[in-house]
Amino acid sequence: MSGGPSITLKSQPIDGNNTGNAAAQQQAAAANGASGSGSSGTPNGSGTGAGTGAGASNAPAEGTRQNSLQRIQQRKQKVFNLPVPQKLAKLSMYSACQAEGCRCTGWKTPQENRHRDVESSYCPEFNEECRNSSCRHSLRTHIAHLDNISSSNMDELLGAIIDMENLFMSMQRVEDEDTKKVYLYLFRLLRQCVLTRQQAVIRGPLGDPPFESPCITKAVLSLVFYKYNHLSPTELQTMTEVAKTFLNFLNHYNFESPSTRRGDLTHEDASNYKINYTRWLVFCHVPAFCNSLRQFETSLVFGRTLLRTVYQYMSQQLKKKCISERDRFPEDKRSIITQMPKFLEALRAELLKDDSPIWDPNYRPPNSFVIQQRKRHQEVTPSVAGVSAVSLGTSKRSSVGEPLHKRPKKESLERSTTSESVDDLPTDVVMRAMKSVSESKTTNKSEILFPVNVSRDENVKAEEQKRAIEFHVVGNSLTKPVDKQTELWLLGLQLVFAYQLPEMPREYISQLVFDTKHKTLALIKENQPIGGICFRPFPSQGFTEIVFCAVTMSEQVKGYGTHLMNHLKDYSIQRGIKHLLTFADCDAIGYFKKQGFSKDIKLARPVYAGYIKEYDSATLMHCELHPSIVNTQFIAVIRNQSEILKELIAQRHNEVQKVRPGLTCFKEGLPSIPVESIPGLREIGWKPQVRPARSSRPLEESSDPEKLATSFASVLQSVRQHTTAWPFLRPVTAAEVPDYYDHIKYPMDLKTMGERLKKGYYQTRRLFMADMARIFLNCRFYNSPDTEYYRCANSLERYYQTKMRELGLWDK
């Protein structure tokens, strides 16, 4: 593909022996413009990096890309295997001088050693001075803050440095100015993250992925069902493989720069393309060779807007590639090549339609189709599943050295496109169950408050409501007076922690409890602290460190510990903190697990390393908080939901156990009846088997579309003329019913259905039935059963079903 950036590497080996001049040029360029005055830019030994070249063709780009990624990983692995002194020397080139008042942002190699490379044989002495004339401090001064850094954290920083150097090389090679600006932004972002030892987070007007709904992956797989569901299982499987091949090609496609496309796009399209191209660079393309940045698949974060602007040229490239790679396909898979043009033409048609259902966020294939596709996907062997990717030259990147969040997840394609939807219970059934539970609580209040299996949390909350216990956040201060009550509580908390944590030095407990940066959530009973959680918030890092957590021995096993933690979670959420971290000893791991903590740390290490206090023989645990959950009420909500669920099960059980009268129709001479007419059969969950479609029934798009449209028009006309159709003839206006659209998110009416019918929207029977069902569902949802509107919906729905059966369009 011409015009798009492609990842390339210099052909020289990664040994650093011949990189002196290039490294010196990079340092000068970085110091002058890339990272500000005094920055080290790209250090010695950075002669190998990823670059981009506009105008590179797509044919050799894939091999070059794979070679580039392998070389980058090889270089990183080589750096990770260096001795610690050489690693520190590498880090020092991007570490600010720790001397007071010095503004040097990176140690520079002395003049006599400027041609030597720390990634090969050069290991400077710690007393060597920085070549920066405004610094002149030793190497030791630049790495003083790295004394206690762990090996894993050191490797993360080194990996970010190599990514930054590759970005710098890319910036030098790319010709497009817009692309160069993006690389410069990411270079400076990584530079700042290395200086501050924080995780790289991209913020700004670009927004966060995904950028459009539905995504391209969901729309493409919806197209498979929409257009090809009537085919045989073998043919349908082939079209599914074609769709996945297209998505794989898109995810590895190198888009052209906006300046190259300026001539063939309208002003509005050019503006949108420039935004999406920048997003693609930042979130998809650059992270492919910069593991320090989180990578997203193009087809999962972009939608119709991007695909429209690139589809014409991209589809041509895909067709050419299919022809050129035809001989590499196995004989049994060449049908993918044959069907690709047909699939691309169908996708193009749906891409140009303004009312195409596959681009409707609410459109989804039925569950049966989704389950069937998943089974077929599981039956495919790994060797067959990888044919389309390898044959089209779009091999997946190696996951060696990649962070966990970038490794592909199994069945991510299916999970991202559809989610199994289960029909909700009728609202009146749920309301009846809730009423029954509420009445039961009122009638048996004494049994609910003090049963044998009551949650301990309920007893604690009852004590809190009676003010038998109180929760207060207390702490010391050097800027304002501390009242006597707070001082007494802090002293009492110190004694609680010291008694319950005998292995912790008392001086250390006193130091932290009375430290002005720490706070303690105190549990007060009879004006005496009986428990508490000492913690330190780090708002800038987004987490809170729990230091001590204890409850007096005589007050344990009463649920106080759980309620204490729930109060701390709510306190943190109110202040915008969504993560809790703590080092738990072996005796406390069980408690923290019950409170939602896990050994799986989801925060990046640079976020908390150097902030949280580390303890020997203790396990770091993490809890992520959800801002929508009120933790002090959460247990009660779950318990209430459980009671409602039990009531629904009991009601369902009563319906199933109901004894119904026998059938008398056979005594009256009736030879047979439909199975579905047997009383009570549907109520116990029986569903009729799906009958094969009759040849005379216009079911799907494979039938005559004109005949199908005529049938729909006939049904629609009859429904409009019915006496109970008056509430549904036109859309509900906000002037008539002000709060209607607060409750109804997907409105529908007979007038809108008529307009859709004229435009040819109803290509299948199920689309027509779905819109008609939406009318009646909306009416029943908004109106109560005793209203005239509710009765009209029931009456009109029965009439509509009758008309559909008369035309052979109803198979239920």
Side-chain angles (χ1 to χ4, degrees):
M1 186 197 73
S2 62
S6 59
I7 308 171
T8 58
L9 280 172
K10 296 180 72 174
S11 58
Q12 61 193 40
I14 308 171
D15 57 10
N17 294 330
N18 54 352
T19 60
N21 293 333
Q25 292 172 2
Q26 286 176 240
Q27 280 189 324
N32 291 332
S35 58
S37 176
S39 171
S40 65
T42 307
N44 299 339
S46 60
T48 308
T52 59
S57 64
N58 199 42
E62 295 302 337
T64 306
R65 175 196 297 244
Q66 193 64 20
N67 293 338
S68 302
L69 295 174
Q70 290 176 358
R71 292 189 183 185
I72 291 171
Q73 293 303 328
Q74 288 171 3
R75 184 185 173 205
K76 285 188 176 181
Q77 198 59 50
K78 179 182 177 181
V79 173
F80 295 160
N81 294 333
L82 289 174
V84 173
Q86 283 179 257
K87 287 186 177 181
L88 291 173
K90 183 77 174 176
L91 289 173
S92 70
M93 298 175 180
Y94 294 90
S95 299
C97 183
Q98 303 299 304
E100 186 176 357
C102 185
R103 302 183 64 181
C104 178
T105 57
W107 185 78
K108 288 185 175 58
T109 312
Q111 187 74 19
E112 61 274 13
N113 294 315
R114 66 184 185 277
H115 295 295
R116 303 178 69 183
D117 179 19
V118 296
E119 291 186 26
S120 55
S121 58
Y122 175 51
C123 183
E125 298 294 334
F126 286 147
N127 58 359
E128 289 189 31
E129 293 183 355
C130 177
R131 187 165 58 91
N132 191 339
S133 58
S134 63
C135 177
R136 295 299 183 185
H137 293 107
S138 65
L139 172 63
R140 189 186 307 278
T141 310
H142 284 77
I143 60 173
H145 63 297
L146 301 175
D147 288 342
N148 297 322
I149 189 172
S150 64
S151 58
S152 61
N153 195 9
M154 185 181 296
D155 287 346
E156 288 178 7
L157 290 175
L158 289 169
I161 288 174
I162 295 173
D163 288 341
M164 185 172 58
E165 294 173 356
N166 290 336
L167 268 174
F168 183 82
M169 293 295 295
S170 302
M171 193 165 51
Q172 302 301 310
R173 297 185 178 192
V174 72
E175 297 178 1
D176 180 68
E177 290 300 322
D178 293 329
T179 306
K180 187 171 292 189
K181 289 178 182 178
V182 175
Y183 286 172
L184 179 58
Y185 163 75
L186 294 175
F187 173 85
R188 288 175 172 170
L189 175 67
L190 287 179
R191 182 75 177 92
Q192 185 64 27
C193 291
V194 171
L195 280 174
T196 59
R197 296 166 61 185
Q198 294 181 356
Q199 187 180 23
V201 179
I202 298 170
R203 298 186 177 91
L206 289 178
D208 298 320
F211 304 110
E212 195 172 353
S213 179
C215 66
I216 297 173
T217 296
K218 180 179 179 182
V220 167
L221 294 189
S222 296
L223 175 70
V224 174
F225 169 77
Y226 180 58
K227 286 290 186 183
Y228 307 111
N229 190 41
H230 62 283
L231 300 177
S232 65
T234 304
E235 294 173 320
L236 182 59
Q237 176 63 19
T238 299
M239 297 312 296
T240 303
E241 290 296 329
V242 171
K244 292 180 179 179
T245 301
F246 169 81
L247 293 172
N248 193 60
F249 183 81
L250 173 67
N251 287 330
H252 294 81
Y253 188 75
N254 288 326
F255 297 108
E256 296 175 298
S257 62
S259 59
T260 308
R261 302 268 337 253
R262 193 171 297 159
D264 60 343
L265 294 174
T266 64
H267 177 73
E268 182 179 357
D269 287 342
S271 177
N272 290 333
Y273 182 72
K274 185 173 183 179
I275 295 173
N276 284 327
Y277 176 79
T278 305
R279 288 170 170 170
W280 172 76
L281 279 178
V282 171
F283 293 101
C284 303
H285 179 67
V286 174
F289 62 91
C290 289
N291 293 348
S292 305
L293 301 171
R294 185 180 180 187
Q295 185 190 10
F296 297 87
E297 295 287 0
T298 305
S299 62
L300 294 178
V301 297
F302 291 101
R304 188 177 194 175
T305 304
L306 175 67
L307 190 58
R308 267 184 169 177
T309 55
V310 302
Y311 186 77
Q312 181 177 357
Y313 191 74
M314 189 187 75
S315 60
Q316 294 173 2
Q317 294 295 313
L318 180 54
K319 289 177 184 177
K320 291 178 182 178
K321 202 158 190 66
C322 286
I323 295 172
S324 63
E325 303 285 342
R326 179 183 179 86
D327 294 337
R328 295 180 60 185
F329 272 74
E331 290 290 341
D332 59 336
K333 288 295 176 181
R334 289 191 180 177
S335 56
I336 295 176
I337 298 292
T338 307
Q339 296 295 332
M340 183 62 74
K342 177 182 176 181
F343 174 83
L344 292 175
E345 189 59 32
L347 179 57
R348 177 180 175 277
E350 297 303 320
L351 199 59
L352 297 177
K353 279 185 185 178
D354 291 332
D355 56 350
S356 173
I358 72 169
W359 298 104
D360 183 355
N362 303 311
Y363 178 80
R364 64 180 60 185
N367 292 338
S368 58
F369 175 78
V370 177
I371 296 172
Q372 189 178 29
Q373 289 301 98
R374 287 181 178 173
K375 288 181 179 178
R376 289 174 182 169
H377 180 71
Q378 293 171 356
E379 291 170 359
V380 177
T381 61
S383 59
V384 175
V387 165
S388 60
V390 174
S391 298
L392 288 181
T394 52
S395 304
K396 293 186 178 295
R397 290 173 295 274
S398 170
S399 61
V400 178
E402 292 188 357
L404 292 177
H405 64 256
K406 295 180 64 177
R407 295 180 184 172
K409 296 181 180 179
K410 295 180 180 179
E411 298 182 2
S412 61
L413 197 61
E414 285 78 6
R415 279 197 220 112
S416 63
T417 56
T418 55
S419 57
E420 297 186 15
S421 57
V422 180
D423 294 337
D424 291 335
L425 289 171
T427 306
D428 57 334
V429 174
V430 179
M431 294 299 293
R432 189 164 63 248
M434 292 176 64
K435 183 179 179 181
S436 177
V437 171
S438 178
E439 290 175 352
S440 175
K441 286 183 178 181
T442 305
T443 305
N444 305 311
K445 190 171 183 180
S446 59
E447 296 179 11
I448 292 297
L449 285 177
F450 304 102
V452 175
N453 63 341
V454 71
S455 170
R456 289 180 293 173
D457 182 73
E458 293 296 329
N459 293 333
V460 177
K461 287 164 63 178
E463 288 187 57
E464 187 179 8
Q465 290 175 357
K466 297 175 183 177
R467 302 188 69 84
I469 59 174
E470 296 177 351
F471 294 88
H472 297 276
V473 176
V474 295
N476 200 6
S477 175
L478 298 176
T479 58
K480 57 183 179 180
V482 180
D483 60 87
K484 185 177 180 180
Q485 182 65 76
T486 299
E487 292 179 352
L488 292 174
W489 283 347
L490 288 173
L491 287 169
L493 289 166
Q494 175 197 9
L495 295 175
V496 171
F497 292 140
Y499 185 79
Q500 296 299 132
L501 306 171
E503 296 183 1
M504 194 66 67
R506 293 203 172 199
E507 296 80 4
Y508 182 68
I509 293 175
S510 302
Q511 175 188 342
L512 296 188
V513 170
F514 288 94
D515 179 42
T516 56
K517 296 178 181 178
H518 289 72
K519 297 182 181 297
T520 304
L521 175 62
L523 170 59
I524 308 299
K525 188 173 186 179
E526 297 177 357
N527 206 33
Q528 294 293 327
I530 61 170
I533 299 177
C534 181
F535 62 95
R536 180 179 177 180
F538 292 94
S540 62
Q541 303 302 108
F543 76 91
T544 290
E545 175 193 7
I546 297 177
V547 185
F548 306 126
C549 178
V551 176
T552 303
M553 181 68 72
S554 60
E555 301 290 348
Q556 290 180 4
V557 202
K558 293 183 179 180
Y560 290 146
T562 297
H563 207 55
L564 259 172
M565 187 62 69
N566 287 336
H567 270 288
L568 179 61
K569 290 177 180 178
D570 290 345
Y571 176 85
S572 300
I573 290 173
Q574 291 169 7
R575 282 149 184 80
I577 295 176
K578 300 179 182 178
H579 301 275
L580 300 179
L581 288 173
T582 187
F583 272 94
D585 59 32
C586 57
D587 296 328
I589 290 177
Y591 164 77
F592 282 107
K593 280 186 176 180
K594 292 179 181 178
Q595 309 309 316
F597 285 74
S598 169
K599 297 179 184 179
D600 181 17
I601 312 301
K602 296 182 180 179
L603 278 177
R605 182 170 177 81
V607 174
Y608 61 85
Y611 293 90
I612 188 171
K613 292 175 286 294
E614 300 191 13
Y615 298 88
D616 294 333
S617 304
T619 303
L620 181 61
M621 303 189 73
H622 169 246
C623 178
E624 186 173 4
L625 307 178
H626 195 290
S628 301
I629 294 179
V630 181
N631 291 274
T632 49
Q633 302 296 328
F634 186 66
I635 296 178
V637 171
I638 295 298
R639 190 177 183 84
N640 194 36
Q641 289 177 345
S642 176
E643 292 174 355
I644 293 173
L645 186 59
K646 289 178 181 178
E647 179 63 26
L648 287 170
I649 294 173
Q651 290 181 5
R652 183 67 173 165
H653 186 264
N654 292 335
E655 292 177 4
V656 172
Q657 294 296 325
K658 188 182 296 183
V659 178
R660 302 180 183 273
L663 297 172
T664 59
C665 55
F666 300 110
K667 293 181 180 179
E668 299 171 358
L670 209 64
S672 63
I673 60 172
V675 177
E676 57 265 26
S677 64
I678 299 176
L681 200 59
R682 290 184 181 273
E683 285 77 355
I684 64 172
W686 177 87
K687 293 182 179 180
Q689 293 181 350
V690 179
R691 296 174 292 181
R694 298 195 300 268
S695 58
S696 61
R697 180 180 297 169
L699 290 181
E700 304 297 345
E701 64 270 24
S702 58
S703 301
D704 184 3
E706 294 183 0
K707 183 178 179 181
L708 198 61
T710 303
S711 302
F712 291 157
S714 173
V715 173
L716 199 57
Q717 183 65 20
S718 299
V719 170
R720 282 175 180 160
Q721 295 175 354
H722 195 268
T723 55
T724 59
W726 58 270
F728 317 107
L729 293 176
R730 57 184 178 81
V732 178
T733 63
E736 296 173 340
V737 189
D739 67 334
Y740 184 80
Y741 292 98
D742 294 337
H743 302 279
I744 303 301
K745 302 301 181 184
Y746 308 105
M748 184 52 61
D749 60 276
L750 296 174
K751 180 181 178 182
T752 303
M753 288 189 65
E755 294 172 351
R756 287 189 169 190
L757 182 61
K758 290 179 182 178
K759 293 179 180 179
Y761 173 78
Y762 298 118
Q763 295 292 317
T764 67
R765 174 178 60 103
R766 298 198 178 279
L767 286 175
F768 182 85
M769 294 172 64
D771 278 358
M772 190 67 77
R774 176 63 63 186
I775 294 176
F776 305 127
L777 288 173
N778 288 345
C779 179
R780 295 192 187 99
F781 180 81
Y782 184 82
N783 302 285
S784 57
D786 57 348
T787 60
E788 181 66 16
Y789 300 98
Y790 199 100
R791 289 190 287 270
C792 285
N794 291 340
S795 177
L796 187 63
E797 186 178 35
R798 288 193 294 269
Y799 178 77
Y800 150 71
Q801 293 176 1
T802 302
K803 298 300 294 182
M804 292 286 282
R805 288 191 181 95
E806 290 175 359
L807 295 175
L809 295 172
W810 194 268
D811 61 351
K812 292 185 178 180

